[in-house]
Amino acid sequence: MIGAELYFVITSIFVVSEKESLNPRIPLIKKPSLRSHLRASDQLEDFLKDHQVDVFSRRYSQCYPPTLVSLKPGKAAERLYNYMDAQYFGLISLGTPGQNFTVVFDTGSADLWVPSFYCVSPACASHHKFKAFESSTYIRDGRVFGIHYGSGHLLGVLAKDLLKVGSLAVENQEFGESVYEPGLSFVMTKFDGVLGLSYPSLSDELGAPVFDNLINQNKVEKPIFSFYLNNSPGKEGELLLGAVDEDLFVRPINWSPVTVKGYWQIKMDAVKVQGTTSFCKADANSCQAVVDTGTSLIAGPAMDILFLQQLIGATPTPFGEFLVDCSRISSLPVISFVINGVEYSLTGEMYVKKDVIGDRGVCFTGFQAVDITSLFGPMWVLGDVFLAQVYSVFDRGQDRVGFARLKARPTE
């Protein structure tokens, strides 16, 4: 969420064989994120003042004990999907003939929504809008949906239509047509909507989420999808549906069972600083972690993260971010995350985000404090800062998340 965050937009979709058509690759490429844009244009402070909400507590409200969450029957869950720092974007199409939309592929939510042609918000004016009257396969639903954001509710109506993701076609996919999108953030983002990849229990819409329909309609070879993020500027990453790409990682895949079927939530054994266990002691009360492609952050309990920032030598800013001296990056401590007995180590070069303010380079840590309580213990969020260093596999068939070491890419 901090520093020179980058987002990914679709560049091309290709089909090279019959097998490839069952497991489409969605290439991804880097561009500056909304936060970087706001910082560069000196609008970040005003934006954050206008959006004083506990963004992570709302986004992960499903993790709270039931007594802490009050949802009235028939009302939308009040979760904040904070896409200010989202990094993975791709192309889909809806309707017949297809209408193209750039969406966030988000493992932290389950719904699919895009702007409606009838949207009245300023945000919709700068994005592609779905024209139901131009689709011969459109099925009107008429029910209303709503998702709570920091500046108000995103409101819309439900519908069904033909969805295409890469070479895969999903018939009668339930989705939301937003008619009101609140706040400045949607005006300035480069994506049109969201395609959720979490479990159905997070869905605010009735009907199966996209990946569930891909499975139910036998559209994918296996009930899995995988992410690869190439952290080199100008190089492509990919989302692969139905398979893994053996050319991108080194086996074995380290599998962790999903502990709660909502988010892709797993157990994390420990967090180490320079090889010493500092957080999440390896016992029955060790931490939980949400593996989230919808954020670039690594987030953790406030007290732990504040102590971690002190160990790094980072200085807080008024925006909840932490600065480090760019000249010290190579000497910063190694931060390691232990998952299912395997240690994943991040150097300063991996967890520090670089950005430019005016003509001055600045460096921010990729850690943010947030207190999220789950029934299994303290909650951490593993976003891009972590996911960029591994090949990640999400397995709905066996309810598990896998990480593997990336292969060294040939230099050009």
Side-chain angles (χ1 to χ4, degrees), residues 22-42:
L22 290 175
N23 307 316
R25 301 171 188 270
I26 301 176
L28 308 165
I29 195 169
K30 298 181 179 180
K31 289 191 178 181
S33 71
L34 172 59
R35 182 180 292 266
S36 288
H37 174 76
L38 289 169
R39 185 183 290 114
S41 59
D42 200 26

Side-chain angles (χ1 to χ4, degrees), residues 2 56 71 85 92 109 114 130 140 228 237 265 286 294 306 311 315 329 334 378 399:
I2 41 189
F56 279 94
L71 300 178
D85 300 285
I92 65 169
S109 66
V114 296
F130 181 72
R140 181 182 178 275
Y228 163 71
Q265 182 175 330
S286 58
L306 291 176
L311 294 175
T315 304
I329 292 178
V334 173
D399 297 317

Side-chain angles (χ1 to χ4, degrees), residues 161-237:
D161 212 329
L162 178 68
L163 166 69
K164 290 186 177 180
V165 184
S167 58
L168 302 183
V170 184
E171 299 174 356
N172 298 323
Q173 175 62 50
E174 190 89 49
F175 70 101
E177 299 179 68
S178 67
V179 296
Y180 176 74
E181 298 181 5
L184 176 64
S185 58
F186 286 109
V187 176
M188 304 181 71
T189 54
K190 302 299 183 181
F191 63 90
D192 302 312
V194 175
L195 191 155
L197 291 168
S198 70
Y199 282 81
S201 61
L202 292 192
S203 178
D204 288 325
E205 302 170 0
L206 298 179
V210 172
F211 197 68
D212 288 72
N213 274 334
L214 287 172
I215 296 171
N216 296 337
Q217 297 180 21
N218 297 315
K219 301 291 186 177
V220 288
E221 184 179 0
K222 296 179 181 178
I224 64 176
F225 58 90
S226 52
F227 278 97
Y228 163 71
L229 170 59
N230 190 327
N231 226 10
S232 303
K235 303 298 183 181
E236 291 182 350

Side-chain angles (χ1 to χ4, degrees), residues 1 35 47-48 50-61 64 78-85 148-151 185 263 292 295 297 299 319 368-372 381:
M1 177 177 283
R35 182 180 292 266
F47 178 89
L48 293 177
D50 292 337
H51 295 75
Q52 288 296 321
V53 294
D54 189 347
V55 293
F56 279 94
S57 292
R58 287 192 179 277
R59 179 178 173 90
Y60 301 105
S61 64
Y64 284 80
E78 293 199 355
R79 293 193 299 274
L80 173 65
Y81 300 152
N82 177 26
Y83 298 114
M84 183 177 177
D85 300 285
H148 186 85
Y149 286 82
S151 52
S185 58
Y263 302 100
D292 187 359
T295 181
L297 297 172
F319 312 138
Q368 179 154 323
V370 52
D371 285 314
I372 306 170
V381 178

